[in-house]
Amino acid sequence: MDFSTVNELLAGSVGGAAQVLVGQPLDTIKTRAQVAPRGMFKGPMDILAQTIRKEGFFALYKGMASPLIGIAGVNSLLFAAYGLSKRAISPFPQLSLKEIAAAGAMAGAVNAILASPVEMFKVRMQGQYGSATDKRLREVAREMWSQWGIRKGIMRGYWITVAREIPAYAGFYTAFEFSKRKFTAIYGDQLPVWALLSSGATGGIAYWLACYPLDVVKSRVQLRDTPPTGTPVQYIARELRNIVVESGWTGLFRGLSPSLLRSIPAAASTFAAYELTREYLKEFTGV
């Protein structure tokens, strides 16, 4: 493994930690909007108010342990896979936006390997509402392992995570690179921090717009008491149909507004932390 890949792994870890710390409260609101029983909440602001009133402010950080523990691996894998995908697609450093989209899609598919269990634990923690029967993360992990094993328990929702990550990261990296290149044309290679933040936020918004209905399906599948049946195509199609029957077409976008709000600070901090760390490591290692 060369130094450039090591730099991407380390910078990805720093960027991932920044993303979790900044974005977790709105992620909790998003997940609860997707999976809560119909009529339990009136909307995102009601979720926020009820969560704080009934469970306390730090309930907004439920499920943070899973992504915070796993985010180093997840984001390291994502950024390293993206770097390797770019080099596999073209030997030239400046890729076209179509090539960027292809590299992002490839990185997203690889990223799902670690993102799937991290997301599953996070969703199951966020889907608890402060009752006496709420479980700790280790209890959730033990339960999923003992009852369902790896494929149907720990990796539940893997294929829907793959289906989500491919368009999500194609959109994410394309929007980020497009925005970054526009700023570079104005300010040169040494971009101000606010330009990196803006580019990251643009990428984050594109991420959710590219994949959101699939994210709703993923959350529902991962929270359910029993694993899905049938092939991935069958259970994804069945879940999409169930959502439409229950809530109409708008049900496919429940929780989108907090997701978009979360994407602005979360993705901005991710990419700013990643780019700044990578630049520091580049100067330190010379690669």
Side-chain angles (χ1 to χ4, degrees):
M1 186 182 294
D2 60 23
F3 271 121
S4 61
T5 302
V6 173
N7 289 354
E8 285 158 358
L9 287 168
L10 293 173
S13 298
V14 175
Q19 172 188 327
V20 174
L21 292 171
V22 170
Q24 187 66 18
L26 285 168
D27 187 78
T28 299
I29 294 171
K30 180 266 294 184
T31 300
R32 289 187 168 188
Q34 291 175 339
V35 303
R38 192 173 183 182
M40 186 174 184
F41 300 111
K42 297 176 183 177
M45 291 306 296
D46 188 44
I47 295 173
L48 174 64
Q50 285 200 45
T51 298
I52 294 175
R53 185 172 67 251
K54 295 178 180 178
E55 303 170 62
F57 175 79
F58 288 104
L60 294 171
Y61 287 88
K62 271 189 175 179
M64 187 175 77
S66 173
L68 198 57
I69 292 169
I71 202 67
V74 171
N75 270 43
S76 292
L77 180 61
L78 172 66
F79 283 107
Y82 178 60
L84 291 170
S85 296
K86 287 198 298 182
R87 291 192 284 274
I89 288 171
S90 173
F92 303 106
Q94 187 78 349
L95 276 66
S96 69
L97 290 179
K98 288 182 180 179
E99 291 172 328
I100 290 291
M106 291 165 63
V110 173
N111 186 59
I113 296 169
L114 290 182
S116 179
V118 167
E119 285 281 310
M120 189 277 295
F121 288 125
K122 175 179 69 69
V123 167
R124 293 187 80 86
M125 293 298 294
Q126 290 171 329
Q128 301 181 125
Y129 300 99
S131 71
T133 58
D134 281 4
K135 300 178 179 71
R136 295 181 180 274
L137 177 59
R138 63 175 178 271
E139 294 172 314
V140 172
R142 185 168 56 246
E143 179 183 87
M144 296 300 287
W145 170 265
S146 62
Q147 290 188 10
W148 304 108
I150 294 178
R151 186 171 66 87
K152 294 183 177 182
I154 304 300
M155 297 297 291
R156 182 179 300 179
Y158 170 72
W159 287 111
I160 182 60
T161 305
V162 173
R164 181 193 75 162
E165 300 287 76
I166 289 173
Y169 280 109
F172 185 85
Y173 281 110
T174 303
F176 172 75
E177 283 292 334
F178 176 81
S179 180
K180 184 181 173 185
R181 289 176 186 184
K182 290 295 183 182
F183 283 124
T184 300
I186 299 172
Y187 297 103
D189 292 333
Q190 295 299 318
L191 291 180
V193 172
W194 69 263
L196 287 175
L197 291 170
S198 299
S199 299
T202 303
I205 291 170
Y207 175 101
W208 288 115
L209 293 177
C211 76
Y212 197 77
L214 291 172
D215 188 70
V216 178
V217 172
K218 178 199 69 66
S219 295
R220 286 167 60 107
V221 165
Q222 291 177 327
L223 186 64
R224 201 165 272 140
D225 291 336
T226 57
T229 57
T231 66
V233 172
Q234 288 173 332
Y235 76 69
I236 291 170
R238 183 168 61 246
E239 197 64 47
L240 286 168
R241 187 165 55 250
N242 289 341
I243 293 168
V244 174
V245 170
E246 291 171 13
S247 308
W249 291 101
T250 57
L252 296 173
F253 298 93
R254 285 175 64 182
L256 178 60
S257 56
S259 295
L260 294 177
L261 287 173
R262 170 185 178 270
S263 70
I264 295 172
S269 59
T270 299
F271 264 95
Y274 171 77
E275 291 283 345
L276 292 172
T277 304
R278 192 178 63 168
E279 286 301 315
Y280 171 78
L281 292 172
K282 186 176 180 180
E283 290 181 12
F284 184 75
T285 62
V287 179

